[in-house]
Each structure stands twice: as structure tokens, then as C-alpha cells.
Amino acid sequence: MTVMSPLSRRGFLTGLSVTAGGAALAGCARAAEPPPNGMAQGSDGGQAGVETRLQDAIVAFDGEHQAGIATPAQANLNLIGFTLSDGVDRAGVTRLMRSWTEDSRRLCTGEVPLGSLEPELVAAPANLTVTCGFGPSVFDAAGLEGQRPDWLKPLPEYNLDQLDPKWGQTDLVLQVCSDDPLMLSHATRHLVRSGADYARVQWMQQGFLNADGARAESETPRNLFGQVDGTVNPREGEAFDEQVWIKDDGPAWMQGSTSMVLRRINMNMDTWEMLDRKSREESMGRRLDNGAPLTGEKEFDTPDYEATDKYGLPVIDRQSHMFRAKAPDDHPEQKFLRRPYNYDIAPEPGSEQLSNSGLVFLAFQKDPVRQYDPVQRRLDEADRLNEWITHIGSAVYWVPPGTSADGRGRDAFWAQSLLEDA
Amino acid sequence: MTVMSPLSRRGFLTGLSVTAGGAALAGCARAAEPPPNGMAQGSDGGQAGVETRLQDAIVAFDGEHQAGIATPAQANLNLIGFTLSDGVDRAGVTRLMRSWTEDSRRLCTGEVPLGSLEPELVAAPANLTVTCGFGPSVFDAAGLEGQRPDWLKPLPEYNLDQLDPKWGQTDLVLQVCSDDPLMLSHATRHLVRSGADYARVQWMQQGFLNADGARAESETPRNLFGQVDGTVNPREGEAFDEQVWIKDDGPAWMQGSTSMVLRRINMNMDTWEMLDRKSREESMGRRLDNGAPLTGEKEFDTPDYEATDKYGLPVIDRQSHMFRAKAPDDHPEQKFLRRPYNYDIAPEPGSEQLSNSGLVFLAFQKDPVRQYDPVQRRLDEADRLNEWITHIGSAVYWVPPGTSADGRGRDAFWAQSLLEDA
């Protein structure tokens, strides 16, 4: 593996240096193009043979789609749900979007946002991305009820749901991700402050994956049950176009947008850890060591759902998570992008569980009703993992298309063409 | 800067390869020796010119002192306060210490702890350290009241304290730090579970600094006010011996131990951000850009407290944080090691502050009454920063000496010679 000396950020920003420029472009390309695979993380943009220091790693803010979706998952997440202040109307939402977009563009590229007195805290974005979503109620506040997509509504109540309202739907959401927790905190703070006249924090859901450099680049992230999580994700542009990006159908303001499903999923470590490894693998349908299907050897081997063991029983259990989650042959549209983060916070007072951990499960798809709901319905009916997991929060958001700094050919700020032209 | 290709962890553990071995030893040396400076962070052990991937970075668990004190601060902190279960006596505390020490030794070196079924989650410690402390009450539970150090008691109530009992003193504390948040979470979980028969979590205080690679190695960490924080820390062995490690005085079981002061400090970002940069610098006594004293140019320049401006006023204000915190000439013992982490969590319901952030301020010293208290007393009386900060939690712990795996010349587990011989 070739490793190059770190770039200075100044060199990066002014486009100096040939070698450095290559690495810089690799970083920049991450948001604009779906990643070559969904596994790479951190500062190398998934390009083997090139490594920059995290300090110099920038994900392009502008593009056909918002960054933070096809972007390989960074190490740290702040997902912030906001309540619009009383009386904020279309003009108010427009001002908020203009301000948040401009601030985010600057923060993500290492520039000081207008009015900020903290240049030292924004110098190294470390792959910072900011992704904005609209809850159903924003369309009402903006007098755009007639434009609300049909699927932008609460998911059905599933039988096993134990939803806590405190993790419920909000008017707006910002998904802020970075490989640096200090940058993440400062960016979050800046956006909360700059939006304070229009919206207040309702909840903040914090999550994490491996730090940059703490996992082999070829490995898919693991959750706190130790499971490899995200193997079936779309990997290249065509799959993203099929599953994630809204294109061609619908009004002009929706082109390039997507939807975000948020499910907060508690994982009961205390009971999970009573299982032996074989039972853990059977409940998932995959091996714990490398995520391979139980009928295969490697993570990306195609599962053989017909294979049986010496007793004639299916090797991959019919109630395993993998079997229940897969799209049926006659419904290939039941796929989506998983971008889950682990959470692990202090136990609630009086809780019987020793730990308070699980997933901030984020799914991106064109249409949650067609793509996500049928999968979750099957899992809710019979997924062996249900013995150890509980869905405790749920929300759905429309995620506006990407932007361009000068507004040419794209919105200059999030949802501009919805708010100004629709 | 020379950058080397990543090591395989296997290569590291078996001691293969010459270049790799050098880097590995640099990593290992971090815990055993005070760092060459207190600023380096991450996987390079403070040695310019050598860089390993975080994956391969290990801090030695055993040594004269516990790791996690002189160790350059890792990116992520879980500080867990435990309550001893009813009826746990000296035998119980001894079993808990034996179990926690053995588990921690394995986790910190990338080995699978006994009884763990999650080898995949412990493969890359990423500079994991686990540091254990005893609250005053453990000496009672163990029937060792007569041995309790005089200074192991609550700090005096300071005038401006607004202590919330939920962040108060606990029987035991574990300071778990790693540059990888997933490793941190798994190690915390493992220790909470393995100790569950003896102690339960009372609180968990999570904190962060820059990620490995997200800050120039020569920079001291910053807090969320943007201030460089930790400039006056001890840097080399002699200063650690003077300020931190208990040596020669006191019984044999105390040799090599220290004390930890925990102060949870809320920082009011909303009012702080109303200040211009000049006022921010004057309240601290240091420049925001590089942490230099207002009478100097560089961070480590000696402050000139006699310097006056053109109006004859002191350049470094007499009520600035720096002036109030400094040890008087006739009390040079009023120094200690600061190892603070930032926190930033969801706002409390009903809070007037937009953010809920501040410091998990950790100080290590031989004697909190002689070293920490007089400094905090002066700050409490008149520190301009008091307008924006509030101490909301307080605790003091005795931090047992370091260990050796075979128990030769040192305790085999934390506090062995106190629990077995005192």
C-alpha cells in the first residue's frame, strides 16, 4: 500500500500539488458519486493506495444529491430533530433553509460561516456532512399540503413496536456526520444556534461506528451485537438510481431527492449475550466472523436459501433476519440503503438492562411505503432477532435534492424550488 | 514526515518485522513512561516520523502506574461511576478487582477476555486504556476505614457550585478511553457485565476530543469554547513525580498511586458566544488562535504577569482564568495534571440553553486537598470565566498503583496489596 505524506489544508483548498490534488479529488468525489463500495470509511475515499490525514479530508457539499447518504459512513453521528417555532411560515422555512445551507456549505469545506467567531474550530471538517430532511408537517407550515408526497406520513404501527414519543417524528431533521467528534459538536452547535429563531431541538440522537483507521478498509461496519451490518447495500450508481434517488417521476422539485426512515432500535445486550455463537449466527443467517451467509464462505457470497443440512432442514433458517429481510423475487423493489449507527448511552434510571444501547437505524429509499414498509412488516411478523431488539422510535422525512453554490441547474439552498416555485 | 505502511495486528503481536516493531514499541511505551509531551494523541506515541494505523495501536496495560493518566488523551471517554451492591465486603471487592484487572489487561492488548464470545469486537483496541478509582466508601465496605487517605473525602463546597447529586460521588469509577468509539463501547459493556454481581452503573459521563489524525500533532486539544486547554500540564517524568505520583510517603500499598478529581462543568455556549474575541481572550488570559499568553507569541511562552498596556493596566487581567489558576510563588505544589474531555449531549427538557455541553474535567494529583482545592478556591472566588461556566458535579477517587501480569514486584490486580496486606 502506498502512503503519502499529509497535505496541508491550504494546499488542498488552493488546488496546489499534483499528488496531493489526486487525494483531494478522491475525497471530493465521495459525495458526488456513489462510493465504489459502501464499506470504505474515512479519509481515503475508498481508493486503495491513497491515504490522507483526516485533517485534510473533505466531502463535497454540493452535488446532484445531498452528501451524507451515498457517502461512506463517517465515525460519528448527531441526528437532530427540530420543532418549528410557532408562526414560522413558508418565508420562515425559506430563510432557515437558506441560512442552514450556506452555513453547512462553509462548515463542510473548512470555511468560517458568516458571523462565526471560531475559525479554529472549523479548520478540519474531517469528512463532515450535513443532510437535511423535512417531516410531513413542514408542508403544512409552508402552505404546501398539496405537494406533500403520498409516502411522507407515519409508518404503520407494527405489532412489536414499543414507540416512545420522545424519539418520534419531528418537523425537521439534520443528520450531521464527521470522523471527528469535536468538529461534529461544533458544527451541530453552529447550526442549532443559527436556526434558533425558526426551530428548536426536540431530540438529539448520537451514534458511532469505528473511528477512521480502526477497521480494515475492506470490512463492513459491525453493530454492538458483533454483526456485520450493511452487506446488501447498493454499491454502485445503478443500484443507487434504482433504490435511492427519486428521478423522472414526480415534479421537478423532487428530482434527485430521496426519503429517510429513522427507526431507533434498542438492543438488549443482557439477553443477547446469553446465546452461544451458533444461535447468534442462526438468528442472523450469517457468520459472525466475516458476515458470510451460513451457506457461504465470504461476506458477499450469494446466499443459498435452498441448501439443507444433514437433517433436511434449511441451513439459513426461514425466520432468520436475513431470510425475512430479503426482497422476494416478485418484488425486487423491496431494497434500500441502510446507514445505521450504534448508540450507547447511560442506562435510564430504573432500567433493568445493564446497558442502554442499540441502533439509530437510518434507511434511504425512493419510497418508504413501497420499499421499507414491506420489509419491516415481514421482520415484525417473524424475525428471530425480535427476541433481542425493540423498535422504540420512528420517523419519516423527505430529503431534498442536492445543491450548487451558484444555483445554476440546481437549487442554491435546500428545497429552494419547492419553496419558491411549487 | 515519514509515513509507513500499516502493520498487520498479527505481525505486531508476534513481534515480527523491524520497522513495524519500532512503531509498535513506540505505542507500547506510552503508558510506561510519561509522554514526551502531553499533546500527542493517537497512534504515534508522540514520536514524530512514525505512524501506525489506529488498528494497531496498543497502550501497555501493566506498569508502575495505571495507564490512562500520563497516556496522551485518546479521542473518546466513558467515565462510569458504580455503586457497590449491598453486602459486598472486602472479599467481594477483591474478586471484582481481580476480574476487572484481568479483563482490562486482555481488552487493552487485543486479547479475548475469559468468557467473551465476541473476538471480533476486541481485535483493535485503538489505544484503549482502563483506569480504576476507589471512592471513600470502598474503604468502609472493605473494612479498611483506618487506611483511607486523609484527602479522600468530598471537596469543600465552593460558593458558585450548583452540584446535581446525579453527577456526584460514587463508590468506584472506571475511566475507559479509546481512539475508537466502537471498541470503547464494547470494552465498557464487557466491564459493566463482568462486574454486575458486585456493582451497578450509577452514571456514565461520555466525552470526546479530536479524533486521531484530525489535529496537528503539535496542537494541544481545544474545548468547546475554542480554548486551547492543557498548556501548563506536566510534560516529563520529573514533573509527573512532583505533581502526580504518590511516592515514598505513605504505606507500601499507596506507592505509585494517585488521586482523581472529577468536576463536571457546564459551559453556557449561548452567553459565551455573545462575547467578541477580545473579551474571550481577556477572560482566559490567552490568545484563541494558538493559546499563547496575551504577553507572548507562542503557546508555551512564559506569561509576563507584570506587563502593562498603554493605560498602565495589566495585559493579563488579574481575574483572568490563567492568573487565578497559577500556583503562587510560595506554593509551587498547587499544580496538577488536567485530562479534560468535552461533553455535548441532548438538552435537558425545559432547559433554557440551546446546547447541553461542557467538560468532564479530570485532574490527577498526589493530594487534592493540597494541590487542587486551593486552585479551585481561587477560581471560585474570582475567575472571569465563572460568568459562563458552572460546576454541576464533583467526586474524588484514589487511583491504585499499576500492575504486573505475574504480580512480581507489583500488584497483580488493582489494589491487591491494600486489600490483601493492609
Side-chain angles (χ1 to χ4, degrees), chain A residues 36-338:
Chain A
N37 59 60
M39 302 175 294
Q41 184 195 350
S43 53
D44 66 355
Q47 303 225 349
V50 181
E51 188 168 345
T52 61
R53 274 180 68 84
L54 204 45
Q55 252 190 311
D56 308 306
I58 287 177
V59 176
F61 177 80
D62 290 301
E64 187 180 353
H65 315 292
Q66 286 192 58
I69 302 166
T71 310
Q74 302 95 325
N76 305 282
L77 163 76
N78 278 351
L79 188 77
I80 312 113
F82 291 88
T83 307
L84 280 177
S85 304
D86 288 346
V88 172
D89 56 7
R90 194 186 308 188
V93 174
T94 303
R95 281 195 297 273
L96 176 60
M97 288 302 119
R98 191 186 292 274
S99 158
W100 270 355
T101 305
E102 286 173 5
D103 286 347
S104 299
R105 182 180 288 122
R106 284 170 181 264
L107 288 165
C108 292
T109 46
E111 289 177 62
V112 183
L114 294 177
S116 163
L117 297 180
E118 292 98 11
E120 294 86 4
L121 291 176
V122 304
N127 292 319
L128 179 72
T129 57
V130 184
T131 314
C132 180
F134 281 29
S137 51
V138 179
F139 287 79
D140 301 294
L144 290 162
E145 300 88 338
Q147 303 291 336
R148 182 167 43 224
D150 292 340
W151 48 256
L152 187 55
K153 59 185 181 189
L155 288 163
E157 268 190 60
Y158 303 103
N159 287 326
L160 301 180
D161 281 359
Q162 295 186 25
L163 303 184
D164 183 336
K166 82 173 174 185
W167 302 120
Q169 181 72 52
T170 60
D171 296 331
L172 292 167
V173 74
L174 290 179
Q175 175 200 271
V176 190
C177 299
S178 173
D179 283 312
D180 180 40
L182 188 61
M183 181 70 215
L184 180 75
S185 175
H186 179 69
T188 300
R189 166 67 195 174
H190 185 89
L191 294 165
V192 166
R193 174 183 52 181
S194 77
D197 287 343
Y198 306 99
R200 297 280 291 206
V201 175
Q202 185 167 328
W203 44 244
M204 178 156 72
Q205 306 199 33
Q206 303 185 297
F208 57 88
L209 297 169
N210 282 124
D212 181 54
R215 188 178 69 241
E217 283 161 39
S218 57
E219 285 175 23
T220 304
R222 291 180 188 272
N223 63 31
L224 294 171
F225 281 176
Q227 298 162 332
V228 169
D229 206 345
T231 304
V232 300
N233 267 342
R235 308 272 163 200
E236 70 315 307
E238 200 178 326
F240 272 85
D241 287 343
E242 280 174 17
Q243 297 175 33
V244 180
W245 308 127
I246 296 170
K247 285 191 170 181
D248 304 327
D249 49 346
W253 56 265
M254 284 194 75
Q255 303 303 311
S257 70
T258 183
S259 75
M260 175 200 283
V261 165
L262 158 65
R263 303 287 290 183
R264 189 172 179 90
I265 305 176
N266 176 263
M267 292 160 57
N268 190 329
M269 305 294 291
D270 299 349
T271 52
W272 172 257
E273 287 169 355
M274 292 175 185
L275 293 183
D276 60 21
R277 280 177 68 91
K278 188 154 177 294
S279 303
R280 297 182 192 190
E281 291 181 331
E282 285 175 353
S283 69
M284 188 62 184
R286 293 187 179 276
R287 287 166 53 166
L288 281 165
D289 59 353
N290 64 359
L294 292 178
T295 55
E297 294 299 317
K298 295 190 211 131
E299 181 184 351
F300 297 100
D301 287 353
T302 305
D304 177 1
Y305 293 110
E306 304 309 317
T308 51
D309 64 16
K310 60 182 174 182
Y311 307 107
L313 298 171
V315 176
I316 296 176
D317 191 279
R318 294 291 182 262
Q319 302 204 349
S320 65
H321 183 75
M322 183 169 70
F323 186 87
R324 299 295 298 178
K326 77 177 171 61
D329 292 342
D330 56 344
H331 282 290
E333 77 282 4
Q334 294 177 9
K335 291 177 188 156
F336 46 84
L337 172 69
R338 290 155 174 80

Side-chain angles (χ1 to χ4, degrees), chain A residues 1 3-6 51 53-56 75-76 78 117-121 124 126 179-186 188-189 192-193 196 200-201 203-204 206 208-217 219 222-227 269-273 275-277 280 288-290 342-347 351-355 357, chain B residues 1 3-6 51 53-56 75-76 78 117-121 124 126 179-186 188-189 192-193 196 200-201 203-204 206 208-217 219 222-227 269-273 275-277 280 288-290 342-347 351-355 357:
Chain A
M1 180 172 177
V3 177
M4 43 175 290
S5 65
E51 188 168 345
R53 274 180 68 84
L54 204 45
Q55 252 190 311
D56 308 306
N76 305 282
N78 278 351
L117 297 180
E118 292 98 11
E120 294 86 4
L121 291 176
D179 283 312
D180 180 40
L182 188 61
M183 181 70 215
L184 180 75
S185 175
H186 179 69
T188 300
R189 166 67 195 174
V192 166
R193 174 183 52 181
R200 297 280 291 206
V201 175
W203 44 244
M204 178 156 72
Q206 303 185 297
F208 57 88
L209 297 169
N210 282 124
D212 181 54
R215 188 178 69 241
E217 283 161 39
E219 285 175 23
R222 291 180 188 272
N223 63 31
L224 294 171
F225 281 176
Q227 298 162 332
M269 305 294 291
D270 299 349
T271 52
W272 172 257
E273 287 169 355
L275 293 183
D276 60 21
R277 280 177 68 91
R280 297 182 192 190
L288 281 165
D289 59 353
N290 64 359
N342 302 302
Y343 75 80
D344 179 17
I345 57 178
S351 164
E352 289 184 6
Q353 292 180 32
L354 292 178
S355 306
S357 54
Chain B
M1 181 170 177
V3 178
M4 42 173 293
S5 65
E51 187 168 344
R53 275 179 68 83
L54 204 46
Q55 253 190 309
D56 308 305
N76 305 282
N78 278 351
L117 298 179
E118 291 98 11
E120 295 85 5
L121 292 178
D179 283 312
D180 180 40
L182 188 61
M183 181 70 215
L184 180 75
S185 174
H186 179 69
T188 300
R189 167 66 194 173
V192 166
R193 174 182 53 182
R200 299 278 291 205
V201 175
W203 44 244
M204 178 156 72
Q206 303 185 299
F208 56 89
L209 297 169
N210 281 124
D212 180 55
R215 187 178 70 242
E217 283 161 38
E219 286 175 23
R222 289 180 189 272
N223 63 31
L224 295 171
F225 281 176
Q227 297 162 332
M269 305 294 291
D270 300 350
T271 52
W272 173 257
E273 287 169 355
L275 294 182
D276 59 22
R277 280 176 68 91
R280 296 182 194 190
L288 280 166
D289 59 353
N290 64 359
N342 303 301
Y343 76 80
D344 178 16
I345 58 178
S351 164
E352 288 183 8
Q353 292 180 32
L354 292 177
S355 305
S357 53

Side-chain angles (χ1 to χ4, degrees), chain B residues 23-306:
Chain B
L25 287 173
C28 277
R30 293 173 63 191
E33 299 287 332
N37 60 59
M39 303 175 293
Q41 184 195 350
S43 52
D44 66 355
Q47 304 227 346
V50 180
E51 187 168 344
T52 61
R53 275 179 68 83
L54 204 46
Q55 253 190 309
D56 308 305
I58 287 178
V59 176
F61 176 80
D62 290 302
E64 187 181 354
H65 314 293
Q66 287 193 56
I69 301 166
T71 310
Q74 301 95 324
N76 305 282
L77 163 77
N78 278 351
L79 188 78
I80 312 113
F82 291 88
T83 307
L84 280 177
S85 303
D86 288 346
V88 172
D89 55 8
R90 194 188 308 190
V93 174
T94 304
R95 280 196 297 273
L96 176 60
M97 288 302 120
R98 190 185 292 276
S99 158
W100 270 355
T101 305
E102 286 174 5
D103 286 348
S104 298
R105 182 180 287 122
R106 285 170 180 265
L107 288 164
C108 292
T109 46
E111 288 178 63
V112 183
L114 293 177
S116 164
L117 298 179
E118 291 98 11
E120 295 85 5
L121 292 178
V122 305
N127 292 319
L128 179 73
T129 57
V130 184
T131 314
C132 180
F134 282 28
S137 52
V138 178
F139 287 79
D140 300 294
L144 291 161
E145 300 88 339
Q147 303 290 335
R148 182 168 42 224
D150 292 339
W151 48 256
L152 186 55
K153 60 185 181 189
L155 288 164
E157 267 190 60
Y158 302 103
N159 286 326
L160 300 180
D161 280 0
Q162 295 187 26
L163 303 184
D164 183 335
K166 83 173 174 183
W167 302 119
Q169 180 72 52
T170 60
D171 296 331
L172 292 167
V173 74
L174 290 179
Q175 175 199 270
V176 190
C177 299
S178 172
D179 283 312
D180 180 40
L182 188 61
M183 181 70 215
L184 180 75
S185 174
H186 179 69
T188 300
R189 167 66 194 173
H190 185 89
L191 294 165
V192 166
R193 174 182 53 182
S194 76
D197 287 344
Y198 306 99
R200 299 278 291 205
V201 175
Q202 184 167 327
W203 44 244
M204 178 156 72
Q205 305 199 34
Q206 303 185 299
F208 56 89
L209 297 169
N210 281 124
D212 180 55
R215 187 178 70 242
E217 283 161 38
S218 57
E219 286 175 23
T220 303
R222 289 180 189 272
N223 63 31
L224 295 171
F225 281 176
Q227 297 162 332
V228 169
D229 206 346
T231 304
V232 299
N233 268 341
R235 309 273 163 200
E236 72 310 311
E238 199 178 324
F240 272 86
D241 286 343
E242 279 175 17
Q243 298 176 32
V244 180
W245 308 128
I246 296 170
K247 286 192 171 180
D248 304 327
D249 49 346
W253 56 263
M254 284 194 75
Q255 302 303 311
S257 69
T258 183
S259 75
M260 175 200 284
V261 165
L262 158 65
R263 302 287 290 183
R264 189 172 178 90
I265 305 175
N266 176 263
M267 292 160 57
N268 191 329
M269 305 294 291
D270 300 350
T271 52
W272 173 257
E273 287 169 355
M274 291 175 186
L275 294 182
D276 59 22
R277 280 176 68 91
K278 189 155 176 294
S279 303
R280 296 182 194 190
E281 291 181 331
E282 285 175 354
S283 69
M284 188 63 185
R286 292 188 178 276
R287 287 166 52 167
L288 280 166
D289 59 353
N290 64 359
L294 292 179
T295 54
E297 293 301 316
K298 295 191 211 133
E299 181 183 352
F300 297 102
D301 287 352
T302 305
D304 176 2
Y305 294 109
E306 305 308 318

